[in-house]
Each structure stands twice: as structure tokens, then as C-alpha cells.
């Protein structure tokens, strides 16, 4: 395994960082002002997108793009450092057409959409002309376990009819959101079908009659302008051709969607943690109390050191996951799934710890909106739930470990030194 950034990644990262510093950072205060004034997306965003695309900094995330689709075709491993760079500024990814949940939705459409669906939804998404949301979670059931989902879909003539309620649907309040990819329970239930074959994915236009965005839910009192929305679906009727993939294949497709998306989330997290550590170290060098700089206190030094060690550990694990995804079928799918589950837990824990320390170094200012720390902390807290809670990922890692152990059950006793083994040493000849 070689995680050294390729020459292509190094060149792109240098250009991306320069673009971010030259065009995006100077607009950051105006971005916040615009959102605060209720103007979202800010008027300059489209100009920045056009510029990024002209500079070849566009769709950096999708390895399998076709020849006629715009983008760079980087591997997951090559893209990871670029996601880290973008993570430092939460609105940056959209400028490069690399923002969640569109990236996951694009991957989904790329793999499973029919030619007509590609033309209607995938092409505009790849060109950044629209945005989309992925609607799985529901308020009335534990959505960690998607077999619980209750939103229904049934066939009626040449139509699919949906009913239910979704919530925390990221991106649904974005004014350019045109598509909801909705995971629904098939009705009537099919006798004998496995619990994992009873759901389907339906492509629902955001403005379809019966779709009602009820509210944009605040996350720890922070309202994301693109929204984490509660959505009511009441007798929503779409043509049968809006079924994505096969009837009953919703679960399998949801799994496929989440792998690369988690690597992106984790690398963006690492970018935020790097920035938080940098800010904390600078603050510790400048701020004095009781006759000493904060950087001279042993506990502050420990915090900085622990953050450095944990960030570097996490980055290596995430790069390994990206590398594993790039190996495709050469590696067992179960091993890749377990690794992706592991990084999701590691990244959420990392962000909570590193941000908490950085905020402590900053004093009260760390809680204010004047630095990015408070927003990063909030995001880190949410990360413990997004794409499934930590406990479910831990369960996946443990199940994989136990499955491995089952295949070699008993082999561990070779390492024992029981009295019986000690009394009866084997003969060499
Ligand atoms: C900011 C944000 C954005 C989101 N964006 C989206 C989105 O775009 N689309 C979407 O569909 N959803 C989205 N979600 C929802 C997210 O996917 C769910 O919150 C998550 O899957 C958990 O479901 P739940 O909230 O129903 O928790 P529940 O399923 O009710 O679980 C509650 C708790 O039970 C415990 N638990 C559950 N299962 C186990 C287990 N097997 N072992 C041990 N403990 C367990 C865990 O501690 C868990 O936190 C978002 C959430 C947030 C916070």
C-alpha cells in the first residue's frame, strides 16, 4: 500500500489550495453575511463555480466518469487529500461540484440510472445546474435500522405513489434542489421477501404535487441554509419510469452509495481538524495568562500533541479505506465495508475531541461565531449520527471481526501455555 499523493493529486491540490485562498477565503465573510441576510446561495457562487470549472477543478470525486462527462477521474485515494483541503471551508465543496449529498447521489445515478434518468437528472447534476437530496430517515422509526422505514410506494397503473414523512434531509432547502431520491417500503409487502429486498428507490421531483417541505430543522440551534428538512410526502405520484434500479433493490443501492461518501466526509473532517489544530497552536503562542504564554503550559502542549497524533492516525486509516475502495473486487466486500464503518467512527470521535480542545484553548471566543470552531464542533457532533450512528458502525466492525474469528476458530489455542501443553512438548524430530 502506498498512500503517497500522486503527482496528479499534488498538482491539483496546489491549484485547489491556491484557488481557495485567492477566491473563496476573501468571500467567506460575504458568504456569511449573505446567508444571515437570507440570500442563499450568495450571488457570487455561480461565478465562482464557473471559474472553478474553467480551471479544471470540477467533479474531482468520481473515478468512473464516462468520456463525455465533465470531471477529473481521480481514484478515491487521489481525491482524498482534495476533500481534506475543501473541508476547511464548509461551503467550498459546492464551488467544485463536490458537495454532499450530491456526490453520493451522482454516484448512485451513475451506477443505476436508465438513459432517460441520466439525461434528466445526472447530466444537470454533473454540470452543477441543479442540486439533490437523499431521503431515507424518518421521525417515527429508528432509522439506524432502515428495515424499519415506513414511507410506502405502490404501483397504480403506470404511476408510483408515495406516502410518508422523512426528516433531516440534507440539501432539500437549497433553492436549486430539484430531486429527492426517496427510499420507500414496497406495498403490498411481498410474501417471503427478505427484509433487505422490500425497499425501492424513487426519483421524486422536488416540486412534485404532494411534496411538502415542512421545516428546516436546526442542528444544535444552527440552521444550515441548504437545510436538514422535514418533508411530508402525501399521495406523491410519479411515472413508473422514476423507479431507480430494480423494484426491491433500494437497500443494496443505499449500501453502494455510502462507501465513497463516507471517505469524503471523513477527509473533510480531517481538514477541519487540521485547521482547528493550527488555530489552537497559533492562539496558544499569542495568548498570555499568569505570566506565561498558553503554549508554555504542559496541559496545552499535551492537547496539541494528542490532536496531532490522532489526526495523523485517522488520516492513515481513511487513506487505507480509500485505497481499499479503489481495489474494487480484488478485496472482499465485507473487509472494505468494515473499514469504511471504522473510519466513520474514528472521524466523528476525532472531530469531537480535537474541536473540544481547540475551543478550550480559545476561551469564550471559541464558542462565538467569530472563528470556524463552533460550527466545526456542531458538525462533529452531528457526524456521530450522519450516515448512521457510531454504535451501528461499531457493530459492523465487530461482526466482521467475529466472522473472521469464526473461520479460524480454535487456532488461537496454539498460543496458550496451559499446564497440559507445558507437560507435553512436541518432538522436533
Ligand atoms: C446533520 C444531519 C444530517 C442528516 N442528513 C440526512 C440525510 O440527508 N438523509 C437522511 O435520510 N438522513 C439524514 N440524517 C439522519 C441520520 O442518518 C440518522 O439520524 C441516523 O441514521 C440515525 O437514525 P435516528 O436518528 O433515527 O436514530 P435511532 O435509530 O433512533 O437511534 C438512536 C440511538 O440508538 C442507538 N442505536 C441504534 N442502533 C443501535 C445498535 N445496533 N447498537 C447499539 N446502539 C444502537 C444509537 O446510540 C443511536 O444514536 C441526518 C442527520 C443529521 C444529524
Amino acid at each position: 500500500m502506498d498512500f503517497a499523493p500522486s503527482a496528479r493529486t499534488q498538482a491539483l491540490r496546489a491549484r485547489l489550495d491556491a484557488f481557495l485562498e485567492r477566491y473563496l477565503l476573501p468571500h467567506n465573510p460575504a458568504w456569511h453575511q449573505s446567508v444571515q441576510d437570507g440570500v442563499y446561495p450568495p450571488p457570487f457562487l455561480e461565478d465562482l463555480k464557473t471559474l472553478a470549472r474553467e480551471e479544471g477543478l470540477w467533479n474531482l470525486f468520481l473515478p468512473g466518469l464516462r468520456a463525455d462527462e465533465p470531471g477529473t477521474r481521480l481514484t478515491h485515494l487521489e481525491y482524498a487529500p482534495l476533500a481534506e483541503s475543501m473541508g476547511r471551508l464548509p461551503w467550498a465543496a459546492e464551488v467544485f461540484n463536490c458537495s454532499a449529498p450530491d456526490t453520493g447521489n451522482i454516484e448512485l445515478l451513475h451506477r443505476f440510472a436508465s438513459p432517460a434518468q441520466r439525461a434528466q437528472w445526472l447530466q444537470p447534476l454533473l454540470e452543477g445546474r441543479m442540486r439533490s437530496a437523499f431521503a431515507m430517515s424518518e421521525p417515527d422509526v429508528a432509522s439506524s435500522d432502515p428495515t424499519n422505514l415506513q414511507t410506502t410506494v405502490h404501483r397504480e397503473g403506470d404511476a408510483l405513489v408515495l406516502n410518508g414523512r422523512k426528516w433531516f434531509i440534507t440539501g432539500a432547502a437549497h433553492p436549486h434542489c430539484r430531486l429527492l431520491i426517496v427510499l420507500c417500503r414496497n406495498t403490498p409487502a411481498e410474501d417471503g421477501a427478505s427484509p433487505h429486498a422490500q425497499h425501492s428507490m424513487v426519483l421524486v421531483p422536488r416540486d412534485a404535487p404532494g411534496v411538502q417541505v415542512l421545516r428546516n430543522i436546526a442542528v444544535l440551534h444552527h440552521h444550515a441554509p441548504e437545510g436538514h428538512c422535514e418533508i411530508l410526502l402525501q399521495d406523491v405520484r410519479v411515472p413508473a419510469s422514476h423507479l431507480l434500479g430494480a423494484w426491491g433493490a433500494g437497500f443494496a443501492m443505499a449500501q453502494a452509495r455510502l462507501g465513497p461518501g463516507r471517505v469524503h466526509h471523513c477527509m473533510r473532517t480531517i481538514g477541519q481538524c487540521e485547521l482547528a489544530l493550527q488555530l489552537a497552536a497559533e492562539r496558544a503562542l499569542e495568548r498570555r495568562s499568569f505570566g506565561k504564554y498558553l503554549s508554555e503550559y504542559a496541559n496545552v502542549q499535551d492537547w496539541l500533541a494528542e490532536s496531532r497524533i490522532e489526526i495523523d492516525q485517522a488520516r492513515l486509516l481513511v487513506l487505507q479505506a480509500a485505497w481499499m475502495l479503489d481495489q474494487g473486487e480484488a478485496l472482499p466486500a465485507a473487509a472494505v465495508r468494515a473499514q469504511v464503518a471504522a473510519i466513520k467512527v474514528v472521524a466523528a470521535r476525532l472531530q469531537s475531541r480535537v474541536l473540544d480542545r481547540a475551543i478550550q484553548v480559545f476561551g469564550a471566543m471559541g464558542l462565538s461565531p467569530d472563528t470556524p470552531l463552533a460550527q466545526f464542533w456542531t458538525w462533529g457532533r452531528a457526524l456521530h449520527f450522519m450516515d448512521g450512528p457510531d454504535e451501528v458502525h461499531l457493530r459492523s466492525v465487530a461482526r466482521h471481526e467475529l466472522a473472521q474469528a469464526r473461520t479460524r476458530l480454535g487456532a488461537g489455542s496454539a498460543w496458550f501455555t496451559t499446564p497440559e501443553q507445558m507437560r507435553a512438548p512436541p518432538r522436533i524430530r
Side-chain angles (χ1 to χ4, degrees):
M1 288 178 215
D2 179 4
F3 301 152
S6 68
R8 203 155 63 122
T9 300
Q10 287 182 43
L12 272 171
R13 190 171 194 183
R15 281 170 46 210
L16 183 86
D17 286 344
F19 190 98
L20 204 136
E21 272 161 41
R22 177 159 179 210
Y23 298 113
L24 303 197
L25 268 187
H27 276 96
N28 194 29
W31 191 91
H32 284 278
Q33 187 62 54
S34 182
V35 170
Q36 199 171 306
D37 296 343
V39 181
Y40 179 77
F44 49 81
L45 198 77
E46 285 305 315
D47 288 343
L48 290 173
K49 281 167 66 177
T50 305
L51 200 57
R53 189 165 176 181
E54 281 167 9
E55 300 216 357
L57 298 169
W58 192 256
N59 289 340
L60 300 156
F61 63 98
L62 197 64
L65 280 171
R66 295 180 180 187
D68 59 345
E69 292 170 337
T72 49
R73 294 161 191 82
L74 298 173
T75 64
H76 296 108
L77 185 62
E78 287 178 314
Y79 172 61
L82 304 175
E84 179 176 339
S85 276
M86 284 181 230
R88 293 173 297 160
L89 194 63
W91 57 273
E94 185 176 354
V95 173
F96 307 108
N97 214 37
C98 291
S99 43
D102 297 298
T103 44
N105 293 343
I106 287 174
E107 280 173 22
L108 201 53
L109 293 167
H110 208 258
R111 283 186 64 177
F112 301 108
S114 67
Q117 291 168 345
R118 293 175 75 94
Q120 188 173 2
W121 307 115
L122 179 60
Q123 204 55 37
L125 276 170
L126 284 170
E127 286 170 8
R129 285 191 275 117
M130 59 169 261
R131 299 212 51 189
S132 60
F134 185 74
M136 189 197 80
S137 302
E138 299 178 2
D140 297 332
V141 293
S143 304
S144 307
D145 174 3
T147 59
N148 286 334
L149 298 181
Q150 288 180 342
T151 293
T152 58
V153 57
H154 69 269
R155 292 181 166 121
E156 226 177 85
D158 196 29
L160 298 172
V161 183
L162 284 73
N163 278 288
R165 187 184 289 258
K166 300 286 183 181
W167 79 343
F168 282 94
I169 307 310
T170 301
H174 196 297
H176 301 163
C177 180
R178 303 271 178 275
L179 170 68
L180 308 174
I181 303 183
V182 185
L183 190 59
C184 317
R185 173 183 292 279
N186 301 344
T187 50
E190 279 136 50
D191 287 343
S194 113
H196 295 102
Q198 295 182 8
H199 294 78
S200 299
M201 271 190 202
V202 184
L203 304 174
V204 177
R206 162 75 177 74
D207 59 1
V211 174
Q212 219 183 322
V213 174
L214 301 176
R215 59 173 173 149
N216 175 3
I217 306 170
V219 174
L220 294 170
H221 289 286
H222 172 74
H223 268 111
E226 72 277 19
H228 304 294
C229 299
E230 181 167 352
I231 301 176
L232 189 62
L233 303 160
Q234 244 174 345
D235 287 325
V236 177
R237 193 171 288 269
V238 296
S241 59
H242 280 35
L243 179 72
L244 181 63
W247 184 253
F251 250 68
M253 291 192 291
Q255 279 299 330
R257 178 186 182 278
L258 288 173
R262 286 188 182 138
V263 170
H264 305 170
H265 262 326
C266 293
M267 287 307 291
R268 283 193 292 265
T269 284
I270 288 170
Q272 297 188 356
C273 291
E274 273 290 353
L275 180 57
L277 175 57
Q278 180 193 333
L279 297 180
E282 286 179 18
R283 178 81 165 181
L285 286 169
E286 288 169 350
R287 197 95 165 157
R288 279 173 78 84
S289 83
F290 298 99
K292 283 206 245 184
Y293 286 102
L294 298 184
S295 58
E296 295 174 67
Y297 288 104
N299 68 311
V300 174
Q301 291 181 5
D302 284 354
W303 291 342
L304 299 177
E306 279 163 13
S307 293
R308 164 54 55 219
I309 292 165
E310 290 169 13
I311 290 171
D312 288 350
Q313 283 176 332
R315 183 186 291 107
L316 282 173
L317 206 65
V318 179
L319 291 177
Q320 190 184 16
W323 178 87
M324 289 172 83
L325 283 173
D326 287 333
Q327 305 314 303
E329 290 174 6
L331 290 178
V336 182
R337 267 202 307 276
Q339 177 86 3
V340 170
I343 60 168
K344 179 63 196 358
V345 177
V346 166
R349 289 181 174 172
L350 176 79
Q351 183 141 354
S352 290
R353 279 200 296 261
V354 170
L355 264 299
D356 203 54
R357 291 182 195 123
I359 286 172
Q360 197 67 15
V361 170
F362 260 79
M365 188 186 188
L367 299 177
S368 76
D370 296 359
T371 80
L373 299 177
Q375 192 187 348
F376 288 177
W377 188 89
T378 304
W379 187 249
R381 191 63 192 85
L383 203 61
H384 290 273
F385 300 110
M386 272 182 277
D387 289 354
D390 294 356
E391 292 75 15
V392 171
H393 295 300
L394 288 172
R395 183 167 172 257
S396 304
V397 176
R399 283 178 149 189
H400 179 62
E401 205 57 37
L402 291 170
Q404 300 279 95
R406 234 169 252 126
T407 62
R408 50 172 196 257
L409 203 60
S413 64
W415 299 87
F416 291 177
T417 49
T418 61
E420 295 76 30
Q421 287 165 318
M422 290 162 75
R423 271 197 301 272
R427 288 172 185 277
I428 292 171
R429 288 173 191 273

